[in-house]
Amino acid sequence: MDVLIAGAGPTGLMLAYELALAGVDVTVLERLDERLEQTKGGALQARTAEVLDMRGLLGPIQARELPRAEVGGHFAGLPVPLDASPWNTRHQYPISVPQWIVEEELEYAAVARGAVVRRGVEVSAVEQDDDGVTVIAGGDTLQARYLVACDGAHSAVRKLLGVPFPGRPGTFRAVLTDVRLSSVSDEVPVTAGHFSTLTKQGGDYWGMLVPVGEKRYRFTFGRDGVASPAETQEALTALYGRETRLAEVLSASEFGDATRQLESYRYGRIFFAGDAAHIHPPFGGQGLNLGVQDAFNLGWKLAAAVQGTADVLDTYQTERHPMAARVLRHTAAQRVFALPGASEDVVELREIFTDLMRLPDTNRYLAGMMSGLDAPDRIPDLELITDDGPTWLSTLLHPGRALLLDFGTRTWPASSRVNVVRVKPDGEHDALLIRPDGLLRASGEAAVSTALRSGG
């Protein structure tokens, strides 16, 4: 086997799709017997939408999005929507879709490409040598050339290897529930809108009730430990009045705001991605998105290593570790503004920062950071005219190969790993070499020729 993946969350399944697309033999090991249909991880940021669009995966997911007002994202829950339009994207608003739907669609696509997903199989031992990795899972001994741990914040692989997970513990615990309500007060939102319009404080509670359809809601509220139905009703009453009555708790889990990150995402032939590599406060809907983008960065590089066409695995660390470190920083900063019980000084600072967010340059900066659209070397989804007619850049990247856009009629060195597409001149570019993950590799005839001669 070429690659084993521990964990069938969005990160593991995105990686499985990328590897299967490249013809790599890949198996995903998941400890849970079946997928949890809980509405956690409920927003796809713009850059993640672009990433999924580059593989033709966004359409099926977006077709199942929940009703939501077309409103920008948020920073620390402050009441100024973030405007992504200056970043030249086709996806200006976060897409409201539960994590389990993302997982279901990614798994379907990965399996259709040849990936294998085994459920009810927990990793219990891991060893590696110069030639590969040996994993014991569900009583079976499995061997592969590489292992990628995408098994979450409590990663079994990380613990088995004894890899330190430095950082700091959280400052609060909270409960995430899916509930059905038998009656609602006028305080209960009818549709999901901007984050700042959904959060509430009442009594000893802070919380947020978000409609997800069919009298179902995602109810998040502050509490240490998973609440009983009676305690959930108590929180609903404190925040939304006595008219808001609980019919059923469909699922419940707890979460916190600990901040941790691995120093290295690679340990020999074992890699870490998603929450197995980094955790952070849950502000701004970053977690799922960060993990999917980890997988998108690692997938083509791991496939190239397996197939012996390139050795760029170390760039996974140099490119993705700083991106997660930045998320850890800005989610920690958001915690200052977002947590209830702020001091008078913090309240005043919040007002000043809210005013700053109304300035176009500040809003653009925060929108780029929170959406992921300010990723280094990102190329917008260009509309192109090819010999076969008009198309989008994202469509040309569906095969998962590097792409050379020739805005002329040049002759290029042959490369088995690069698709060459001639496009109508735009008066700005002569040639662009684009990596499989949609980032710019080289621009201009001379730089592209050099990159191709060096292996693309």
Side-chain angles (χ1 to χ4, degrees):
M1 189 181 308
D2 293 324
V3 179
L4 282 169
I5 298 172
T11 304
L13 293 170
M14 183 75 234
L15 180 60
Y17 178 83
E18 286 294 280
L19 293 170
L21 179 64
V24 172
D25 181 11
V26 57
T27 294
V28 183
L29 307 174
E30 171 54 52
R31 66 177 182 84
L32 296 179
D33 292 321
E34 57 185 28
R35 182 175 294 108
L36 297 178
E37 294 190 4
Q38 187 179 27
T39 55
K40 63 179 181 178
L44 296 181
Q45 299 290 354
R47 180 56 184 169
T48 305
E50 290 184 342
V51 160
L52 294 169
D53 220 6
M54 290 179 210
R55 295 297 183 265
L57 299 171
L58 181 62
I61 294 172
Q62 195 165 18
R64 301 173 69 180
E65 82 175 294
L66 301 175
R68 184 182 188 273
E70 285 194 338
V71 62
H74 73 94
F75 181 85
L78 298 174
V80 181
L82 298 177
D83 180 10
S85 60
W87 290 97
N88 192 13
T89 180
R90 296 168 62 198
H91 310 284
Q92 294 185 19
Y93 308 108
I95 297 171
S96 181
V97 60
Q99 178 174 314
W100 71 267
I101 289 178
V102 176
E103 292 175 0
E104 188 170 82
E105 294 294 344
L106 289 179
E107 181 171 346
Y108 175 82
V111 170
R113 289 286 182 178
V116 175
V117 178
R118 295 182 54 186
R119 294 189 173 274
V121 179
E122 186 166 9
V123 175
S124 57
V126 177
E127 293 183 357
Q128 65 173 314
D129 56 29
D130 292 341
D131 298 319
V133 182
T134 301
V135 173
I136 297 178
D140 295 333
T141 300
L142 306 169
Q143 293 183 319
R145 295 175 64 181
Y146 296 96
L147 167 67
V148 185
C150 305
D151 51 346
H154 304 289
S155 170
V157 174
R158 194 181 63 231
K159 293 175 181 178
L160 288 167
L161 294 175
V163 175
F165 201 27
R168 58 178 176 172
T171 62
F172 72 84
R173 302 295 296 174
V175 178
L176 173 65
T177 63
D178 285 341
V179 299
R180 281 196 310 107
L181 300 180
S182 57
S183 63
V184 299
S185 71
D186 293 340
E187 295 292 314
V188 174
V190 177
T191 59
H194 190 258
F195 187 91
S196 63
T197 68
L198 299 172
T199 55
K200 289 179 67 68
Q201 286 185 250
D204 295 328
Y205 292 97
W206 59 267
M208 180 171 61
L209 196 59
V210 181
V212 296
E214 299 178 351
K215 295 186 177 181
R216 295 176 57 172
Y217 295 80
R218 182 175 69 239
F219 183 38
T220 309
F221 61 99
R223 178 189 162 77
D224 190 1
V226 175
S228 67
E231 292 165 324
T232 302
Q233 178 62 68
E234 180 181 319
L236 283 169
T237 301
L239 293 166
Y240 297 97
R242 295 187 179 278
E243 299 91 344
T244 303
R245 304 300 302 174
L246 178 67
E248 182 182 7
V249 177
L250 303 171
S251 65
S253 60
E254 62 174 323
F255 65 91
D257 65 332
T259 298
R260 301 185 184 278
Q261 185 180 24
L262 292 179
E263 292 183 357
S264 175
Y265 288 3
R266 180 181 187 179
Y267 289 81
R269 290 181 170 268
I270 300 171
F271 294 81
F272 291 85
D275 288 353
H278 41 70
I279 58 174
H280 51 80
F283 299 123
Q286 300 293 296
L288 181 157
N289 298 274
L290 195 59
V292 167
Q293 292 172 45
D294 284 348
F296 203 60
N297 183 283
L298 178 59
W300 68 274
K301 298 174 180 179
L302 199 53
V306 167
Q307 294 164 348
T309 56
D311 183 6
V312 289
L313 286 174
D314 286 341
T315 65
Y316 172 60
Q317 166 78 14
T318 58
E319 292 179 355
R320 292 306 301 169
H321 193 279
M323 299 301 289
R326 188 175 70 156
V327 170
L328 265 63
R329 287 194 300 272
H330 74 63
T331 51
Q334 290 180 74
R335 178 168 45 194
V336 175
F337 291 137
L339 289 183
S343 68
E344 291 184 13
D345 291 344
V346 171
V347 171
E348 297 298 335
L349 180 61
R350 182 185 294 158
E351 291 298 318
I352 292 172
F353 201 85
T354 299
D355 288 340
L356 289 173
M357 288 180 64
R358 295 189 174 99
L359 300 176
D361 286 348
T362 306
N363 196 291
R364 179 184 184 278
Y365 171 81
L366 293 173
M369 181 175 68
M370 298 301 293
S371 66
L373 292 172
D374 64 352
D377 297 321
R378 166 187 169 262
I379 298 179
D381 193 4
L382 304 172
E383 189 171 14
L384 304 166
I385 306 298
T386 71
D387 293 343
D388 296 323
T391 189
W392 293 99
L393 172 60
S394 57
T395 301
L396 297 176
L397 286 166
H398 284 186
R401 292 162 54 87
L403 176 66
L404 197 168
L405 297 180
D406 179 6
F407 295 81
T409 55
R410 299 166 184 83
T411 300
W412 299 98
S415 172
S416 62
R417 297 194 297 118
V418 180
N419 289 341
V420 179
V421 177
R422 300 195 187 281
V423 296
K424 181 180 179 180
D426 64 356
E428 182 179 355
H429 306 97
D430 58 7
L432 296 175
L433 181 59
I434 302 169
R435 298 177 0 172
D437 55 4
L439 300 182
L440 182 65
R441 172 69 173 84
S443 176
E445 182 175 359
V448 169
S449 295
T450 299
L452 290 175
R453 286 193 294 269
S454 66

